[in-house]
Amino acid sequence: MAASQGHAPSSEQAWLAAAQAFIQETLCPGGKEPNVQLTQLVIDCVKTIWLSQGRNQGFTLPLSYSFVSVEDLRTHQHLPCCSHLSWSSNEYQVWAQEAGPSGTPLPRERLLLLGTLTDLSGDLEQECSNGDLYVRDNTGMLGCELIDLDLSWLGNLFLFPSWSYLPPARWNSSGKGHLELWGVPVPVFPLTISPGSLAPIPVLYSETASHLLRHRSKLRGVQPNLAGKLVQLSALVKSPNRTYFVLSLGGLSPASSQAGNHVSVVVQIPAQLVWHRALWPGRTYVLTALRVSKIRHHSHHVWVTSPSSRLLPLKPECVQELELELDEPLSEANPMPLMTSNSQDRKEQKGLVRDSRLLSYMGMVTGVVNQPAGLYELDGQLELCLAYQQFRTLRRVVRPGVSLELQDVHLLQSVGGATRRPVLAPCLRGAVLLRGFSRQKPETQVSHPTQGAFLYEQLVWERQLGLPLYLWVTKALEELACKLCPHVLRHHQFLRHSSPGSPSLGLQLLAPTLDVLAPPCSPSRNAHSEILEQPHNCPLQKYTRLQTPCSFPMLATLKEEGQRRAWASFDPQALLPLPEASHLTSCQLNQHLAWSWLCLLPSTFHPAQVLIGVLVASSRKGCLQLRDQSGSLPCLLLAKHSQPFSDPRLIGCLVRAERFQLVVERDVRSNFPSWKELGMTSFIQKQQARVYVQFFLADALILPVPRPVLHSATSSASPTEHPLPEGPHVGQSRLFLLSHKEALMKRNFCVPPGANPEEPKPTLSFHVSGSWLGGTQRKEGTGWGPPEPKGDENKDQKVLLIFLGSSVRWFEFLHPGQVYRLVAPGPSTPLLFEDGGSSCISQRPLELTGCTSCLTVQDEWTLELESSQDIPDVLGINRALPESSLTDLLSGKFTDSLVSFSAEILSRSLCEPLPAPLWMKPGSPAVRGCVKLTVALDTADSEFPPHLDIYIEDPHLPPQLGLLPGAQVYFSQLEKKVSRSHNVYCCFRSSTYVQVLSFPPETTISVPLPHIYLAELLQSGQAPFQATASCHIVSVFNLQLLWVCAHCTSLCPQGRCTRQGSTCPTQTCVSQASIRLLVEDGTAEAVVTCKNQHVAAALGLCPGEWTSLLECVRGPGRVALQFTGPGAQLESSAKIDEPLNHFLRTLCTSLSVLRPIVLSFELERKSSKITPLEPPRLQRFQCGELPLLTHVNPRIRLSCLSIQELHQLSSLGTFACSC
C-alpha cells in the first residue's frame, strides 16, 4: 500500500487519506490504533468493484466517490438517492429510463457505504432481535431491506456497491430513513463457513412429523430435525407478548408437496425471527432441534423451534432420514389437511355470501391508492390490500416499481363499495415477499399521505371490518379529509386513532353508518387459529358485495349537482301544461315561470349523500352556513319541530346530517311570446338559482372541533366565529330577555361625529328590543360575578340593541322569548352597557320603540344563550309568541295595524309590484317584482282555515330562506291592509319578524277534496275553501269567447292586434273564454264561473270540437252572449255570424249543457273578504196555480276547478258541424 501511495497522484493520495480517516472513525473501535489491515481490505474491495466496470478511464480509485457514514445519511441526506459503484453513467441512464414515464428515477449520488449487517437493534442479543435488518457503524444504525438474505452474512462487515436511501418524511421529526440494498454485499473480511458434521444429520420428513404429533410418547427426550420443501410461509405476527411466524414444510417431490402432507413449525425465538427474510418458498431446508408444544387457545399440538434450533439449506448428501418404530403404518395416518385451491373455490357462488380464492401471485406495484390504509395498484389491473397483515415495516418500501411475490393471497372479485377491480388481500396465513426494489422516488414527502395508519389498523383489528366495507371506509375517510383538511382540521387530528375517552373524529363521522353495517364486536382476531386451523378461516375467506351506503360530497359539488338537476328538470312545458298554458298571455306565462323550486332529498342521489361541514355564521349576509374546503353552503336550521336554533356555542362545530332537504330556488327572466314557444330556450334571458340546505339539529350529529386548529373554517370576524366554551378570561357581560326582533335589511344610519363625510350607504342591520335582567357582571375565574347594583331599581330596563357590520352574524341565533348574555371581552369599562356609555349611540327616536336606551353591539362582542330556569326574573314572564285573534285579523277594523300569526304557506309566486305609496317621488328607481305568499292561517277553532295573501317587496327581497310551499311559518308584526275589493292582505315592514317552524313535508300526499252539499257553504267559518259537489246545471248566464294579443291583450279580429299607436313586438294571439252557470243540488244555488279550458267541459265539448269552435271565433275576434231568459241576447250591436250565434244559443239551452255534473270548485269570495254576506231575500214561486213566497238564501259564488260527468253523454258533433 505504501508503494502505491508513493507513485499515486496527489488527488489519489488525498482520497486515500480521507478514506483512512473515515475507516478509523466509523469502523474501528474507539480509542485504538489505526487498523492498517482493515483500511487495506476496504480499499481493495472498492478497487475490485470499481475496476470491474472496465470503463474507469485509467483511474484505479473512484476519486469522484466519497465515503458516507450512517450519521451523515441521517443528518445531511434529506432527499432520496441511490449509489451504484460498478455502474457507468450510461448504465445509470438506462437503469433510470426503466423507472417508467410516470415516475421520477432516484437521483444518483457518488457515495460509498460501509457497515455491519445485523438483526440486532441494540447492544443486547436476543431481546433486541425483532426480525428487522440494520446496517451499523460507529455513528449509528439504519434499517435496511435485502432481497435474498444469507444468514451467514449477519454480523459481518460489508461494502455495499448498490443501494438507495430514503430519508424520513419531513413531518416525522422522530423517524428514521432506511436503506434498500440492491446488489449482493461484498464482504470486507472473508466469510467464515463453519465446517459441517462428518456424520449425516438425522431428519424427519413432513409425513412422519405430522404423524408424530399424535404419538408424542416417541419423542421423549428427543429434539428431532425436520427437513422438507418450504410450501407455505405466514406473515410475521407481532403481538403484545411475542413476535412469531409459521412456516410449513412439505415433501421433496412435487407429488408429495401437492398431496397436502404439510407440517407447520412455529418460529418465535427472537433471534430466529430474521429467518423470515431468508426463507424462499420452493426451496428446501432443514430445521434442527425442534420440540412439540401446545399453543394457548389452539386445539392441536404443533412443532416449535427451540433456542438451539438452526436453519440450514437441505443437502441430500448431508442428511439421513430418522427411523422410528411406529404403531401403525404411515398410510393409515390422518394428518390435518391443508387448505388448497380446489374446484369448490372456483365455482360461482350463489346467494349473497361469496368465497374468496387462495392463490399465489407475482407482480409489480404500479400505483399507490392509499398508503396508510395499505392499498396499492398491481400491474395496472388489480388492487392490493395489505391491511389484514401487520405491514408497518413493508410500508416504507412499497411504492410504484416494487416487485412483490404474494403467497397464499385471497382473490376477491366484485366486492363493490369503492372499487370495481379485483382485489388481492393476504391474511396472516399468507406472506408478502419483496422481490425487487423500485427505481422511482417516493411520490411525495408531505405529511398527510402517511397519516392515519394506526386508525386503519384499528378498523381491521378492533372493528374487524370485512374487505368490501374496509375499502369503502378508506374511500370515505379520504373524501372527508379532502373536505376538512388542512384548513378546518390537521390531517393528524382528523385521522388520529381512537383511544378510551378520546374517539377519533374521522370514526365519529362514520359511526352512524358503521354501527349499522358492522356493529362493534368484542372478540379480536386469533392469529394462531387464522394461520394453523383447518379449514382455513379468516376475515377474507367469505365476503358480501357491498352496495355503497353513502358518500360525502364536497359542498361545492353538492351545490353544483343541485343546480344541474334543477335546470335539467326545468321544463316550461311541464310547469305550464296544456291546455292551461294555451290561454295565458305573454305576461302571465313569464310570471308563472319567474319562480319555481326543487327539493332534493338524500335518497334521490345514488349513493345517498351525507351532509358534512363546519357550522359558521356569515358576517356579511347574516345567515348560517356550512363550510368545507370547497366553499360554503347556506343552511336553515331548526333545533326540532317548531323550535328555532338559538345556541351560538355550536358555531365552529362539525355537523353531519343524513336527513336534509337540498332546496334550489329558480329565478328565471324570460320573454316567451306565447305557449307555442315554450320549448324554445332562446326566449330565456336570464336564469339564476339560490341553493341551500335545511334540516333539524335533532336529526344531525354535532361534533366539536379542536380549538387550536380552527383558523379559516369560519367567517371573517375572527373574535366571534368560534367562541371558546370557557369564554374570555377578562370581560364583562349583561343578561337580557329578548321580546322582539326586526327584519334583517339595509337601513340608513346617521354618520357619527368625526366619521367620513361622504354620503353614507344603507347598511345591512337589524334591531332587537328587550329588557335588561340585572346589572353588569364581571369575569371571575371561569364564571361570572354577581350583578352590579342598579342605580334606580324602578327605572324601566327596556333596551333597543342595534346589530350592524359584522355583528349581523348573530341574526339567526336571536329569537323572542329567549334569555341571552351579551359579553364584551377586554378590560372592564364603566357604564359600557348603560345609556350614554362609549358604545351607546342613539340612532333613531327611542319613543317609537318604547325603549329607554339604545345600544350598538360592537363587532368583538359575543352572545351566549342562557337557561331561563336559573333566572328568577324570567320565571313569571309569558314567553309565548304573540298572535292576533282571527276576529281582529279578518275584520275591517284596525287597518294599517300590525298583526302576528302562524300559517302554512300554500303557494308562492311573483306578481306585479303593489301601487307605490303617495309619498314616493316620481323619479324614484323602478321597484323590483313582488313576491306573493298565499297562506292558510293556523287556527284551532276552524276545521277549514281561512286563506290570506302576504306581499313581500323591496327592501325585503329576496325573501329569507325557507319560505316555501308546505312550510309552517310564524309571522310577527306584518302590516294589515284592506284592498279596494275589501280583501284583507298583509305586507312586510321593517319591524317584521319571520320564523320558520317546520319544513315542507318530504313526501306530499294528495288528499281528495271533501264532497259536500252546497248549503254547507253558507255556514259561516265552517265552509272549506275548496270542495266538490254533485249538482245540476240549471241555466247559463253569460258566455264570452275572444282572441286577444298575447303581448298587450288587445282584441285580435282575424288574428291582427287592434292596439292603437304602436306595434306589438309579436303578432301572436291567444284564445280566452269564460262562462257563468247557475247550479243547484237541492240544498242551495250557486253561480259558477268557468274560464278557458273549463268552458269546454261546461259546454260538454270534446277537445276537437272545442278547437273548431275557437277557430270559428277567430274571424270576429269576440263573441259575447248574455242570457236574460229564454233565448240569447247579444251583448253589443257587433255583427256576428248568424250560424255561430244560432249554434251557441242552441247549445247553451240544450240538455247537453243543462245536465248533472260533479263540480270541483273554490270559493270566489276569499275568506279574507270583510264585506258581510247578503241576507236571505224573499222570492215568489208558482206551484201550479198557487203562488208561494219564501226566503231564499243568496246565491253562492264559486270558481270552477274541474267538471266531471256523472255518466257518458252523446257527442255533440252535429252542432260542431253546423258551424
Side-chain angles (χ1 to χ4, degrees):
M1 179 177 177
S4 63
Q5 288 177 349
H7 298 288
S10 59
S11 58
E12 292 190 0
Q13 290 180 358
W15 190 91
L16 290 172
Q20 184 175 1
F22 173 83
I23 294 170
Q24 174 64 28
E25 179 183 356
T26 61
L27 299 180
C28 295
K32 293 188 177 181
E33 295 294 327
N35 191 333
V36 178
Q37 181 184 5
L38 175 61
T39 303
Q40 184 61 50
L41 290 174
V42 170
I43 299 301
D44 290 343
C45 287
V46 173
K47 281 184 176 181
T48 302
I49 300 173
W50 171 251
L51 296 175
S52 65
Q53 64 175 324
R55 293 180 297 275
N56 46 49
Q57 299 178 354
F59 295 98
T60 58
L61 293 172
L63 302 182
S64 60
Y65 282 76
S66 60
F67 288 91
V68 64
S69 65
V70 169
E71 184 181 7
D72 291 338
L73 285 176
R74 293 174 56 180
T75 57
H76 302 297
Q77 188 63 42
H78 301 299
L79 297 176
C81 66
C82 67
S83 179
H84 302 280
L85 179 58
S86 61
W87 288 9
S88 64
S89 297
N90 291 335
E91 289 175 321
Y92 169 74
Q93 292 297 332
V94 174
W95 177 87
Q97 290 176 358
E98 295 178 357
S102 61
T104 303
L106 287 166
R108 185 182 185 186
E109 298 287 345
R110 300 180 182 274
L111 300 173
L112 297 174
L113 181 63
L114 289 162
T116 301
L117 189 64
T118 179
D119 64 328
L120 303 177
S121 59
D123 296 333
L124 301 177
E125 294 290 333
Q126 296 180 355
E127 287 75 11
C128 293
S129 297
N130 56 8
D132 294 333
L133 285 178
Y134 304 92
V135 172
R136 182 175 61 193
D137 60 14
N138 292 346
T139 64
M141 63 170 48
L142 274 175
C144 68
E145 297 292 337
L146 192 61
I147 299 297
D148 192 3
L149 173 66
D150 189 332
L151 295 178
S152 63
W153 296 349
L154 297 178
N156 292 289
L157 180 64
F158 287 95
L159 170 68
F160 302 101
S162 295
W163 53 274
S164 57
Y165 172 70
L166 300 181
R170 295 175 183 175
W171 58 271
N172 191 357
S173 59
S174 61
K176 300 178 181 179
H178 72 279
L179 292 164
E180 296 173 345
L181 306 179
W182 287 73
V184 177
V186 178
V188 175
F189 297 99
L191 298 177
T192 57
I193 302 176
S194 58
S197 175
L198 297 179
I201 301 176
V203 298
L204 297 175
Y205 290 102
S206 59
E207 190 175 5
T208 306
S210 298
H211 186 73
L212 286 177
L213 289 177
R214 292 184 303 278
H215 299 80
R216 295 180 297 278
S217 59
K218 303 290 183 180
L219 300 174
R220 292 176 181 175
V222 179
Q223 288 187 330
N225 308 316
L226 193 60
K229 180 189 293 185
L230 182 64
V231 296
Q232 196 174 77
L233 181 65
S234 78
L236 191 66
V237 181
K238 297 182 179 181
S239 65
N241 299 326
R242 65 186 66 187
T243 303
Y244 62 93
F245 68 91
V246 179
L247 59 90
S248 296
L249 296 180
L252 299 181
S253 63
S256 59
S257 297
Q258 297 177 2
N261 296 322
H262 304 162
V263 61
S264 298
V265 180
V266 179
V267 180
Q268 56 188 7
I269 305 299
Q272 300 167 0
L273 297 178
V274 73
W275 293 0
H276 193 272
R277 297 176 174 272
L279 291 167
W280 280 64
R283 295 183 182 178
T284 55
Y285 298 96
V286 175
L287 293 173
T288 66
L290 302 181
R291 58 187 180 89
V292 177
S293 176
K294 189 178 186 301
I295 300 176
R296 182 183 301 177
H297 306 303
H298 188 61
S299 58
H300 301 284
H301 288 75
V302 294
W303 293 100
V304 297
T305 58
S306 64
S308 59
S309 297
R310 292 185 300 158
L311 175 65
L312 304 173
L314 175 60
K315 299 178 181 179
E317 66 275 10
C318 298
V319 299
Q320 181 181 1
E321 185 174 4
L322 180 65
E323 298 292 339
L324 294 176
E325 296 183 2
L326 301 176
D327 297 335
E328 58 182 2
L330 291 178
S331 59
E332 300 180 5
N334 185 25
M336 288 187 300
L338 290 176
M339 185 73 174
T340 59
S341 298
N342 50 42
S343 59
Q344 184 178 358
D345 295 323
R346 301 185 182 95
K347 291 181 179 179
E348 182 179 358
Q349 301 297 318
K350 296 182 179 180
L352 298 178
V353 180
R354 308 181 182 187
D355 287 339
S356 62
R357 293 179 55 189
L358 276 177
L359 49 83
S360 296
Y361 184 86
M362 182 175 288
M364 178 181 291
V365 177
T366 53
V368 178
V369 180
N370 189 328
Q371 185 180 8
L375 300 177
Y376 303 90
E377 181 188 74
L378 274 181
D379 297 329
Q381 298 178 342
L382 302 173
E383 191 162 323
L384 173 64
C385 177
L386 300 178
Y388 291 83
Q389 285 194 351
Q390 297 166 323
F391 68 107
R392 296 180 186 176
T393 304
L394 196 61
R395 183 188 290 119
R396 64 186 184 183
V397 182
V398 178
R399 63 184 186 277
V402 168
S403 296
L404 298 176
E405 181 182 351
L406 307 175
Q407 289 287 329
D408 292 322
V409 63
H410 292 265
L411 172 65
L412 297 87
Q413 304 185 67
S414 300
V415 296
T419 182
R420 297 182 179 180
R421 295 182 294 190
V423 182
L424 292 176
C427 63
L428 295 178
R429 179 177 174 178
V432 181
L433 306 175
L434 192 62
R435 291 297 179 252
F437 294 114
S438 173
R439 297 174 171 87
Q440 300 181 18
K441 290 174 58 177
E443 292 182 355
T444 180
Q445 288 290 316
V446 296
S447 61
H448 61 84
T450 50
Q451 297 290 348
F454 291 102
L455 174 63
Y456 292 115
E457 291 180 6
Q458 198 172 30
L459 292 172
V460 172
W461 294 90
E462 295 183 16
R463 290 297 298 258
Q464 299 188 41
L465 300 185
L467 181 65
L469 185 56
Y470 176 77
L471 294 178
W472 175 80
V473 169
T474 58
K475 182 67 173 178
L477 287 174
E478 188 176 351
E479 289 181 358
L480 292 174
C482 292
K483 281 174 60 67
L484 304 174
C485 304
H487 295 304
V488 177
L489 286 172
R490 294 288 185 260
H491 282 87
H492 69 89
Q493 291 180 320
F494 177 72
L495 296 175
R496 178 177 51 85
H497 69 285
S498 296
S499 58
S502 179
S504 165
L505 189 58
L507 284 189
Q508 287 184 78
L509 291 175
L510 295 179
T513 304
L514 283 181
D515 291 343
V516 174
L517 299 177
C521 49
S522 53
S524 57
R525 290 173 66 184
N526 189 323
H528 285 105
S529 299
E530 190 171 316
I531 298 173
L532 296 172
E533 282 191 356
Q534 300 297 335
H536 176 57
N537 185 23
C538 72
L540 300 171
Q541 183 66 28
K542 294 183 179 295
Y543 67 98
T544 304
R545 177 178 174 83
L546 178 68
Q547 297 293 333
T548 303
C550 60
S551 64
F552 307 92
M554 291 280 194
L555 293 179
T557 304
L558 185 63
K559 183 177 181 179
E560 293 173 0
E561 178 64 16
Q563 289 180 332
R564 187 194 66 80
R565 293 196 180 197
W567 294 121
S569 62
F570 177 73
D571 183 7
Q573 294 176 327
L575 293 175
L576 292 173
L578 292 175
E580 177 186 359
S582 62
H583 302 286
L584 299 179
T585 64
S586 177
C587 180
Q588 293 172 331
L589 277 174
N590 295 311
Q591 278 190 358
H592 277 76
L593 298 175
W595 184 88
S596 59
W597 69 295
L598 178 68
C599 181
L600 297 174
L601 301 178
S603 58
T604 60
F605 298 89
H606 183 74
Q609 308 284 283
V610 175
L611 190 67
I612 290 182
V614 177
L615 185 64
V616 299
S618 173
S619 60
R620 295 188 300 108
K621 299 181 179 180
C623 67
L624 295 175
Q625 295 176 339
L626 287 179
R627 187 168 297 176
D628 64 8
Q629 292 280 98
S630 65
S632 60
L633 185 62
C635 60
L636 177 61
L637 303 185
L638 293 179
K640 53 185 180 181
H641 185 78
S642 299
Q643 181 175 335
F645 170 58
S646 56
D647 193 351
R649 292 177 300 175
L650 298 186
I651 296 180
C653 290
L654 267 177
V655 177
R656 180 192 191 275
E658 292 185 9
R659 295 185 58 185
F660 62 90
Q661 295 179 353
L662 180 65
V663 178
V664 186
E665 295 184 14
R666 297 175 292 216
D667 292 304
V668 176
R669 184 186 302 170
S670 59
N671 60 348
F672 289 101
S674 68
W675 63 275
K676 298 178 181 179
E677 291 80 16
L678 287 178
M680 302 171 63
T681 58
S682 59
F683 289 100
I684 297 178
Q685 298 173 322
K686 183 180 178 181
Q687 58 185 26
Q688 60 184 11
R690 181 166 71 159
V691 185
Y692 57 94
V693 292
Q694 51 189 23
F695 57 90
F696 294 102
L697 282 179
D699 297 332
L701 175 66
I702 310 297
L703 299 175
V705 175
R707 271 34 176 198
V709 302
L710 186 69
H711 57 277
S712 65
T714 52
S715 57
S716 58
S718 58
T720 54
E721 283 161 0
H722 190 53
L724 298 178
E726 64 271 11
H729 298 287
V730 179
Q732 51 191 328
S733 68
R734 195 170 182 182
L735 295 174
F736 72 93
L737 172 65
L738 194 151
S739 58
H740 178 68
K741 180 176 73 169
E742 297 192 359
L744 179 67
M745 55 182 287
K746 288 188 176 182
R747 291 178 171 87
N748 293 317
F749 288 95
C750 299
V751 180
N756 191 350
E758 295 181 2
E759 183 180 355
K761 297 181 179 180
T763 304
L764 187 67
S765 64
F766 70 97
H767 304 158
V768 301
S769 58
S771 302
W772 292 120
L773 301 176
T776 301
Q777 297 175 268
R778 306 193 185 279
K779 194 71 174 179
E780 293 183 359
T782 58
W784 297 99
E788 297 178 353
K790 294 174 286 187
D792 186 1
E793 296 291 340
N794 297 324
K795 182 180 179 181
D796 194 355
Q797 297 294 312
K798 291 184 179 180
V799 63
L800 177 71
L801 299 180
I802 300 176
F803 293 80
L804 54 88
S806 63
S807 64
V808 299
R809 64 188 177 276
W810 303 113
F811 179 77
E812 292 293 340
F813 299 97
L814 293 168
H815 300 284
Q818 299 290 342
V819 178
Y820 298 90
R821 181 181 296 276
L822 188 61
V823 181
S828 299
T829 303
L831 302 177
L832 181 63
F833 301 115
E834 300 293 339
D835 189 15
S838 60
S839 64
C840 294
I841 303 176
S842 179
Q843 307 214 16
R844 59 182 293 183
L846 296 181
E847 59 271 12
L848 297 179
T849 63
C851 300
T852 58
S853 62
C854 175
L855 183 64
T856 300
V857 177
Q858 304 301 308
D859 293 347
E860 67 274 10
W861 292 3
T862 61
L863 281 177
E864 297 177 3
L865 179 67
E866 292 291 330
S867 174
S868 58
Q869 298 178 355
D870 303 331
I871 306 172
D873 297 342
V874 186
L875 295 179
I877 299 178
N878 182 15
R879 295 184 295 153
L881 296 176
E883 293 194 4
S884 305
S885 67
L886 191 61
T887 303
D888 294 340
L889 188 60
L890 299 181
S891 69
K893 302 178 181 179
F894 310 112
T895 59
D896 299 331
S897 61
L898 299 179
V899 295
S900 303
F901 54 85
S902 299
E904 177 188 354
I905 299 179
L906 300 178
S907 65
R908 171 176 167 179
S909 61
L910 287 183
C911 60
E912 292 294 330
L914 296 177
L918 297 177
W919 47 261
M920 183 170 287
K921 297 180 180 180
S924 300
V927 181
R928 289 191 294 174
C930 177
V931 174
K932 174 185 175 183
L933 301 178
T934 299
V935 302
L937 300 180
D938 186 8
T939 58
D941 54 349
S942 176
E943 181 182 359
F944 304 105
H947 294 185
L948 193 69
D949 291 336
I950 301 174
Y951 294 91
I952 309 174
E953 295 183 292
D954 270 338
H956 303 281
L957 295 179
Q960 72 177 64
L961 306 182
L963 298 185
L964 303 171
Q968 292 281 346
V969 183
Y970 172 72
F971 298 94
S972 175
Q973 296 198 9
L974 290 171
E975 184 178 9
K976 171 187 170 183
K977 288 183 172 294
V978 179
S979 68
R980 286 177 294 182
S981 58
H982 306 288
N983 283 316
V984 174
Y985 67 97
C986 295
C987 296
F988 269 51
R989 291 296 176 254
S990 61
S991 61
T992 300
Y993 161 69
V994 176
Q995 173 58 49
V996 177
L997 302 178
S998 66
F999 306 129
E1002 295 182 355
T1003 57
T1004 57
I1005 302 175
S1006 180
V1007 179
L1009 296 178
H1011 196 90
I1012 65 172
Y1013 293 106
L1014 294 179
E1016 297 180 41
L1017 299 176
L1018 298 174
Q1019 300 176 8
S1020 177
Q1022 301 297 323
F1025 184 69
Q1026 294 180 341
T1028 62
S1030 298
C1031 55
H1032 192 281
I1033 300 177
V1034 177
S1035 63
V1036 176
F1037 285 134
N1038 54 52
L1039 170 66
Q1040 179 174 253
L1041 305 174
L1042 69 161
W1043 286 84
V1044 298
C1045 176
H1047 179 73
C1048 67
T1049 68
S1050 299
L1051 200 62
C1052 289
Q1054 303 297 330
R1056 292 187 298 270
C1057 179
T1058 58
R1059 182 183 181 186
Q1060 301 294 328
S1062 61
T1063 304
C1064 293
T1066 61
Q1067 293 296 322
T1068 305
C1069 55
V1070 295
S1071 63
Q1072 294 184 346
S1074 66
I1075 189 172
R1076 294 177 69 239
L1077 309 171
L1078 177 64
V1079 300
E1080 60 88 19
D1081 66 347
T1083 65
E1085 291 181 340
V1087 178
V1088 181
T1089 301
C1090 304
K1091 292 186 178 181
N1092 297 328
Q1093 70 272 16
H1094 301 309
V1095 176
L1099 297 178
L1101 300 179
C1102 66
E1105 296 167 342
W1106 175 245
T1107 303
S1108 300
L1109 176 61
L1110 292 178
E1111 287 300 321
C1112 293
V1113 180
R1114 184 186 291 270
R1118 179 170 181 254
V1119 174
L1121 298 179
Q1122 184 77 27
F1123 293 84
T1124 58
Q1129 301 290 333
L1130 294 182
E1131 186 184 51
S1132 64
S1133 59
K1135 294 181 180 180
I1136 298 181
D1137 294 341
E1138 288 302 327
L1140 180 59
N1141 182 18
H1142 177 71
F1143 168 73
L1144 292 176
R1145 185 187 309 112
T1146 306
L1147 176 62
C1148 292
T1149 57
S1150 68
L1151 295 180
S1152 299
V1153 174
L1154 309 180
R1155 68 194 189 278
I1157 59 171
V1158 177
L1159 176 68
S1160 298
F1161 59 87
E1162 66 180 10
L1163 294 175
E1164 187 176 291
R1165 171 194 173 93
K1166 294 185 178 180
S1167 52
S1168 57
K1169 198 174 187 69
I1170 60 176
T1171 56
L1173 293 174
E1174 299 177 10
R1177 68 182 188 279
L1178 284 174
Q1179 184 172 345
R1180 185 181 300 273
F1181 293 92
Q1182 191 73 26
C1183 181
E1185 296 181 355
L1186 296 177
L1188 297 177
L1189 189 66
T1190 182
H1191 284 89
V1192 178
N1193 287 320
R1195 289 171 177 172
I1196 308 165
R1197 299 186 178 275
L1198 306 176
S1199 294
C1200 174
L1201 297 177
S1202 69
I1203 293 177
Q1204 297 179 356
E1205 304 294 337
L1206 282 177
H1207 55 272
Q1208 188 67 29
L1209 299 177
S1210 61
S1211 173
L1212 298 180
T1214 56
F1215 291 106
C1217 295
S1218 65
C1219 61

